[in-house]
Amino acid sequence: MHRREKSAAAVAAFVGVMLGGMLLYREPSARVVEAAGQPRFTVLLRFGLDGAKAVDWSGSISPAPSALTGWQFADPDRIGPAEGAWSAATVQQNYWDTPYEARMGPTARLTKVTTKGVVATFDAAAGSSIGVHTAQGDFTFKLDNSLWDAPQRFLNGKVEVRAAPVVQSLKTPEPVEDYPSMTVAGGDIWLAYQAWTPAGDRILVRKRSGTAWSDAFPVTTDAGDCFRTAIAQDRKGNVWVVWSRQTNGNFDLWGARASSKDPRKWSRPERLTSAPGSDIYHSLQRAADGKLYLAWQSARSGNFDIYLRTYDGSRWSTEQKVSESAANDWEPTIAAANDGRVTVLWDTYDKGNYDVVSRTIQNGAPGPVQPIAATGAFEARPSAQYDKQGRLWIAWEEGDWLWGKDYGNLIPESGRGLMVRRQTRVGVLAGGRLLEPAAPIADAVPAEYRQAFLAPRLVLSSSGAPVLLFRYRTNLPQGLKGDIYRGMWRAGSTRLAAGRWTPMTEFPEGFGRIDAPAAAVADGNDSLAVAWVTDGRLFPHAFPVQQDLHLAAVPAPPGPPGDLAPYAPPQETLFNPHANETADVARIRAHRVRAGGREYRIVRGDIHRHTDISWDGNRDGSLHDSYRYALDAVSFDFLGVCDHQAGGGVPYHWEMIQKAVDLFTIPGRFAPVYSYERSLSWPNGHRNVVFAKRGNPILPIPEAEQRGKEGAGKLYEYLRKLGGITTSHTSATGAGTDWRDSDPEVEPVVEIYQGYRTNYEGPGNPRAVTEQARYAPGFVWNAWDKGIKMGVQASSDHVSTHMSYAAAYVTEVTAEAILEAIRARRTFAATDNIVMDVRAGESLMGSAVRGLAALSVRVRGTRPLKRVVVVKNKKVVYTATSEGPEVAFTFTDPDTAAGERYYYVRAEQDDGQLAWSSPIWQTTP
């Protein structure tokens, strides 16, 4: 079981150390926007749309806005000094780019002109005339809601004026706010969310009456380990808030209620689930008859299933399993129709890829599970709502075929990475048919953002007009001084009117992680109240500063949504070379060896997986996508997310990374570990840090260590004290090491191969790194030559998928057992589902033994084995071949000279897939 191994005092001290890393350049800006004097209009003015570089767009606005903020400003751009004025110029820069890649490679470079702009907020009535003076000319425009539907162009199309939400920032004493949910109760809008401090999470609620938001009222008074909120009003007028909380090593759902007239008084929290395994990703919805429907994702049966309970105003019903698949089912949502139907939607990996499915309950009876979006593409994370005509509107994420399959360096492409393409689709289920708006959503999104716009939230206004909220990726310039991210994610929206999606609206201060959540609800005035999370990132550095909750109103589009057309499913064909993967994985999991009176089994995983939390994670998926990938696309038994310094040393990033380990742990099936990467230049190099327990602080990197003036001694001391281990990677590169430091107790293995780059075994070997003389000492062979005893593992690093496996022989599937196996070097590395069983008598791979013993070798691959070699002290001393996928032999070394030697086995399949065993060291007197 996972326990919250956290000392509030220790974490508070850690936060104090790390907060210094959160201070950085911010654009000068004026901040308004509390509810009490809510401005009426905000507009975004963008300059230089003709793409001309080095053009001065300095100017001013009259009358002066109540708030003015720079858009894509960077030194020397400035707001002021005069009221309502700015100075800025377009500039040509090299950007990180993420095109659709036929072959995986480093992030491409794109040269483009950076446009500039300002976000202006006005306390002014509709129809007010605004004058703009710029160095390139003057123009005027009127404040009007038509700017939501059709931005206006001026100065021969070089300038655009469009509407933007008027932002309200609701501050609390907590440094982090997250996971908002909203509902309408008693004519007021209620907002629930969780707030984090180093002591833990609290659940809070605010209420909006008219235009004024109340203070934050606590639903929970004690700090806990919480995940997400959901809120709805029951038939008796009470408002329920439901959240997931870890108690005694298990995430369960809890709920509390309050009268819709008084958000200050909450009932004592009530435990709503108690089965073993995480109960998470819950959704709460009121049905037409006033019942509450609560759906969630539960790991109680060795995989994730969807469960449901209802509340009739007096008591909660017994649990009901809604999903039927033996595969993992994910992230349910609920939609309720006026005629009493209630539909639960989720996505499932039932067919070996993610499909959106649904199940409708009518008169208390559940119907069959029905497919909604069920092609070979990635189709997941539905958001849905019924309209007044009884049609079900659904938005979901659509990605590539063979998502998470073979994608990496030096291999034929037969899959897609986690964030190669991810777009939003909208469908309408009517009369048993899936339809869609005639115009594609991509038409509303600027071309440079169309490769990745996701996390949809679909809400219908009071008149039934669809509004779609989503997040989209913005890549950033290269070559700037100081800390910089390669990309960031923004919040946007579009509205459907007369069959056309309106041009994308950007939410000011909408920056944050990929899956930063948003909530929205129709407020009864034909507009939407929207809440979203932003972490203070700003162009161009995009370093997280502080995570706050922002709110705004988005007007509904005029008129009906327009005509619908038959749904056109995505089309693509990729060859999948792993047709027998389910059987291959089962074979590996069934493999057993006995040694020293203990029985061992193989677990497969990855302890070097990046997400968008890393500064260079612009092509990586979200934190939770990594767990989908591990559990489904590659069927791992463990995972270690290793973002750089746990996300730049930002305390909440480390909190999210650690919490995800607990959320997705499935006892006996999946045992992720707590991990992060310390990234230093040659000769200290990159090392991944791994723990079996939660709550350890991040070890800062002092300048002396970064410059190579100090070695890894402090890291080793830190790991011995806290019970962790570390593993080097990319060792024969500028991010590697010359093995000047070693500690077999805490650095027992090395990442010999990674899919993002290549093989660091030694020069001339399959998929070997191109040798650079300066970094050649970093080859793993050279570490072994120095007498350093390290086993091997393979992990992915960035972007690559399904081709880097860290395997270990364990006694049970727990994080503790996995780290024990790594410490003992009972590990091997592979690029496919290959079994490596190498022993010397009773000693397994990784052992150091006295005397000579014959090597017993058994290799079982997925394809015919071209050759299997025994390597002794860098030289191949034995070769076996086979026309089939299995090789077994015994090797006895005729050399009995005194001294120590190491032996390891490398397997090579006919399709180029590889595997390496950890060495066995033998010493003869």
Side-chain angles (χ1 to χ4, degrees):
M1 286 290 187
H2 286 264
R3 298 180 300 275
R4 186 177 177 83
E5 305 279 354
K6 180 171 285 190
S7 162
V11 175
F14 161 53
V15 172
V17 171
M18 288 317 220
L19 282 176
M22 299 171 66
L23 302 176
L24 71 165
Y25 167 84
R26 281 183 66 92
E27 297 176 5
S29 65
R31 291 182 62 91
V32 224
V33 281
E34 299 300 327
Q38 182 179 349
R40 293 197 177 174
F41 283 96
T42 295
V43 292
L44 167 61
L45 290 78
R46 298 194 298 154
F47 307 111
L49 302 185
D50 59 342
K53 64 181 178 180
V55 176
D56 183 11
W57 285 100
S58 300
S60 61
I61 296 180
S62 179
S66 55
L68 187 65
T69 303
W71 181 82
Q72 296 198 161
F73 273 24
D75 288 330
D77 305 322
R78 287 291 181 267
I79 296 293
E83 187 179 15
W86 66 88
S87 59
T90 56
V91 59
Q92 182 172 287
Q93 295 176 287
N94 291 325
Y95 275 73
W96 299 105
D97 192 25
T98 49
Y100 188 90
E101 299 156 329
R103 296 183 64 186
M104 195 282 298
T107 302
R109 182 175 297 218
L110 172 69
T111 299
K112 72 172 186 177
V113 172
T114 302
T115 56
K116 302 293 179 176
V118 293
V119 178
T121 300
F122 299 91
D123 290 312
S128 297
S129 181
I130 306 298
V132 181
H133 165 73
T134 77
Q136 306 303 316
D138 301 341
F139 60 92
T140 62
F141 66 92
K142 293 186 181 297
L143 297 176
D144 190 87
N145 275 343
S146 63
L147 291 171
W148 286 90
D149 302 315
Q152 296 182 21
R153 291 287 186 100
F154 301 94
L155 302 183
N156 297 318
K158 298 177 183 179
V159 178
E160 178 191 78
V161 179
R162 62 170 61 196
V166 177
V167 179
Q168 301 178 34
S169 177
L170 298 182
K171 301 287 188 179
T172 64
E174 289 82 3
V176 173
E177 299 158 334
D178 213 340
Y179 297 114
S181 57
M182 303 179 85
T183 195
V184 176
D188 299 321
I189 295 176
W190 288 61
L191 168 70
Y193 58 98
Q194 70 184 56
W196 176 82
T197 70
D201 302 301
R202 291 193 306 152
I203 306 300
L204 303 175
V205 160
R206 291 177 184 259
K207 175 182 174 182
R208 193 190 84 179
S209 299
T211 61
W213 284 95
S214 71
D215 292 334
F217 298 110
V219 179
T220 59
T221 56
D222 62 325
D225 192 16
C226 301
F227 176 65
R228 292 172 60 101
T229 69
I231 187 169
Q233 184 182 24
D234 68 19
R235 61 172 39 159
K236 291 186 176 180
N238 293 317
V239 175
W240 276 85
V241 175
V242 177
W243 63 96
S244 185
R245 174 170 176 159
Q246 186 171 196
T247 305
N248 296 325
N250 194 52
F251 273 99
D252 287 310
L253 297 183
W254 293 74
R257 64 184 184 275
S259 166
S260 62
K261 298 179 181 179
D262 190 353
R264 296 169 298 179
K265 298 179 181 179
W266 289 86
S267 65
R268 184 176 181 178
E270 176 181 348
R271 192 170 189 167
L272 302 179
T273 64
S274 58
S278 290
D279 293 317
I280 55 177
Y281 274 115
H282 48 290
S283 178
L284 186 66
Q285 179 67 45
R286 177 188 170 114
D289 62 1
K291 280 186 178 180
L292 295 185
Y293 283 72
L294 174 65
W296 69 94
Q297 174 182 324
S298 179
R300 65 190 63 185
S301 56
N303 61 282
F304 284 112
D305 297 304
I306 307 303
Y307 281 79
L308 182 72
R309 293 188 77 178
T310 62
Y311 182 72
D312 62 7
S314 299
R315 64 182 184 88
W316 288 94
S317 69
T318 56
E319 296 174 339
Q320 174 184 1
K321 185 179 176 184
V322 177
S323 59
E324 296 178 339
S325 170
N328 284 310
D329 301 294
W330 296 85
E331 300 190 41
T333 190
I334 308 173
N338 289 337
D339 62 6
R341 287 176 294 161
V342 173
T343 298
V344 183
L345 302 95
W346 66 94
D347 64 82
T348 179
Y349 207 75
D350 184 55
K351 297 179 180 178
N353 59 271
Y354 291 115
D355 294 326
V356 174
V357 299
S358 69
R359 193 167 195 178
T360 298
I361 300 164
Q362 192 163 20
N363 299 323
V369 175
Q370 298 281 2
I372 301 294
T375 71
F378 177 104
E379 293 152 323
R381 297 192 173 99
S383 172
Q385 188 173 345
Y386 277 99
D387 64 17
K388 294 178 180 178
Q389 291 76 42
R391 302 178 300 183
L392 182 60
W393 289 76
I394 312 161
W396 66 89
E397 293 181 9
E398 180 186 279
D400 296 294
W401 252 251
L402 296 179
W403 179 87
K405 298 300 183 180
D406 286 11
Y407 189 70
N409 192 25
L410 301 176
I411 64 161
E413 183 182 79
S414 59
R416 294 286 187 261
L418 304 192
M419 195 49 66
V420 175
R421 179 183 73 88
R422 192 77 65 80
Q423 298 170 330
T424 292
R425 292 291 297 266
V426 171
V428 183
L429 193 61
R433 297 177 60 211
L434 186 62
L435 308 173
E436 65 180 343
I441 303 169
D443 289 352
V445 180
E448 64 181 306
Y449 306 137
R450 288 176 188 167
Q451 189 179 343
F453 63 102
L454 45 75
R457 173 72 172 155
L458 187 145
V459 182
L460 303 181
S461 71
S462 300
S463 62
V467 179
L468 185 69
L469 311 173
F470 54 88
R471 299 193 65 76
Y472 62 97
R473 180 175 55 203
T474 300
N475 292 315
L476 295 169
Q478 302 182 28
L480 301 183
K481 295 181 180 179
D483 294 325
I484 180 171
Y485 274 55
R486 289 184 179 177
M488 62 181 178
W489 294 79
R490 291 174 168 172
S493 71
T494 180
R495 310 176 306 157
L496 183 64
R500 169 182 168 269
W501 293 99
T502 59
M504 184 185 75
T505 296
E506 179 181 324
F507 281 57
E509 301 207 25
F511 311 135
R513 64 186 193 265
I514 287 179
D515 58 355
V521 66
D523 64 6
N525 297 316
D526 216 23
S527 63
L528 268 62
V530 181
W532 70 95
V533 169
T534 180
D535 61 13
R537 304 181 200 218
L538 291 174
F539 184 96
H541 289 266
F543 194 87
V545 180
Q546 178 169 329
Q547 183 160 300
D548 293 321
L549 193 62
H550 286 7
L551 298 106
V554 174
D563 295 335
L564 301 175
Y567 168 69
Q571 302 293 327
E572 188 175 355
T573 302
L574 278 177
F575 170 70
N576 182 5
H578 301 282
N580 298 317
E581 185 165 27
T582 299
D584 291 338
V585 172
R587 170 176 45 78
I588 291 175
R589 288 177 173 164
H591 188 81
R592 298 290 187 272
V593 301
R594 292 194 64 84
R598 304 174 77 189
E599 184 176 77
Y600 299 94
R601 55 160 294 181
I602 298 172
V603 290
R604 301 152 51 256
D606 185 334
I607 52 175
H608 185 190
R609 180 92 222 158
H610 284 275
T611 77
D612 71 307
I613 295 174
S614 286
W615 66 269
D616 52 353
N618 57 324
R619 291 182 297 157
D620 294 305
S622 68
L623 174 61
H624 290 187
D625 261 358
S626 289
Y627 284 89
R628 282 177 173 260
Y629 161 72
L631 281 163
D632 292 330
V634 72
S635 297
F636 276 154
D637 304 295
F638 65 95
L639 176 70
V641 168
C642 275
D643 287 311
H644 299 290
Q645 280 301 97
V650 175
Y652 188 61
H653 287 173
W654 184 222
E655 170 73 7
M656 290 192 302
I657 291 168
Q658 294 183 97
K659 182 175 292 187
V661 172
D662 295 354
L663 289 170
F664 297 108
T665 293
I666 302 177
R669 161 65 184 88
F670 184 65
V673 294
Y674 309 97
S675 51
Y676 69 94
E677 178 177 321
R678 295 183 87 240
S679 305
L680 296 99
S681 301
W682 176 275
N684 282 332
H686 290 202
R687 284 179 165 95
N688 297 316
V689 174
V690 183
F691 296 103
K693 291 186 177 181
R694 183 171 171 177
N696 294 306
I698 305 301
L699 180 66
I701 302 175
E703 183 178 356
E705 187 180 1
Q706 183 63 261
R707 293 180 177 274
K709 296 179 180 179
E710 291 182 0
K714 291 181 180 178
L715 170 64
Y716 295 154
E717 179 183 357
Y718 156 88
L719 292 170
R720 283 193 295 272
K721 179 180 179 181
L722 299 176
I725 60 170
T726 188
T727 172
S728 294
H729 73 85
T730 57
S731 54
T733 71
T737 178
D738 59 4
W739 309 110
R740 59 184 56 194
D741 298 312
S742 68
D743 187 326
E745 178 185 351
V746 295
E747 192 168 22
V749 298
V750 60
E751 184 182 295
I752 196 170
Y753 176 85
Q754 65 169 233
Y756 184 52
R757 293 182 176 90
T758 187
N759 173 16
Y760 298 94
E761 176 185 6
N765 289 311
R767 299 193 200 177
V769 64
T770 301
E771 183 175 357
Q772 299 180 47
R774 180 183 176 188
Y775 305 126
F779 281 119
V780 176
W781 274 359
N782 294 327
W784 290 334
D785 278 352
K786 285 187 171 186
I788 298 173
K789 292 180 172 59
M790 292 188 299
V792 298
Q793 55 97 3
S795 291
S796 56
D797 199 349
H798 290 281
V799 183
S800 69
T801 52
H802 204 263
M803 53 179 293
S804 302
Y805 299 160
Y809 280 93
V810 301
T811 54
E812 59 182 355
V813 185
T814 64
E816 291 80 6
I818 291 167
L819 260 69
E820 187 272 330
I822 294 174
R823 287 191 180 94
R825 303 186 294 267
R826 294 192 305 269
T827 61
F828 64 91
T831 67
D832 199 357
N833 290 311
I834 300 172
V835 171
M836 299 289 283
D837 186 343
V838 180
R839 316 178 212 179
E842 280 286 298
S843 300
L844 302 182
M845 64 179 75
S847 299
V849 299
R850 294 190 63 81
L852 290 179
L855 293 184
S856 172
V857 177
R858 182 183 178 189
V859 180
R860 180 68 166 86
T862 63
R863 295 269 306 171
L865 291 161
K866 183 172 69 175
R867 67 176 191 155
V868 176
V869 300
V870 176
V871 181
K872 170 191 174 184
N873 296 353
K874 298 196 294 190
K875 294 182 179 180
V876 175
V877 294
Y878 184 84
T879 300
T881 61
S882 174
E883 295 182 356
E886 188 164 1
V887 165
F889 61 86
T890 299
F891 169 73
T892 301
D893 190 351
D895 178 11
T896 60
E900 183 179 75
R901 72 285 310 273
Y902 64 85
Y903 305 85
Y904 71 95
V905 176
R906 183 178 65 242
E908 305 171 31
Q909 291 189 165
D910 67 353
D911 59 355
Q913 302 286 13
L914 304 169
W916 302 259
S917 77
S918 286
I920 293 178
W921 288 265
Q922 297 192 7
T923 303
T924 55

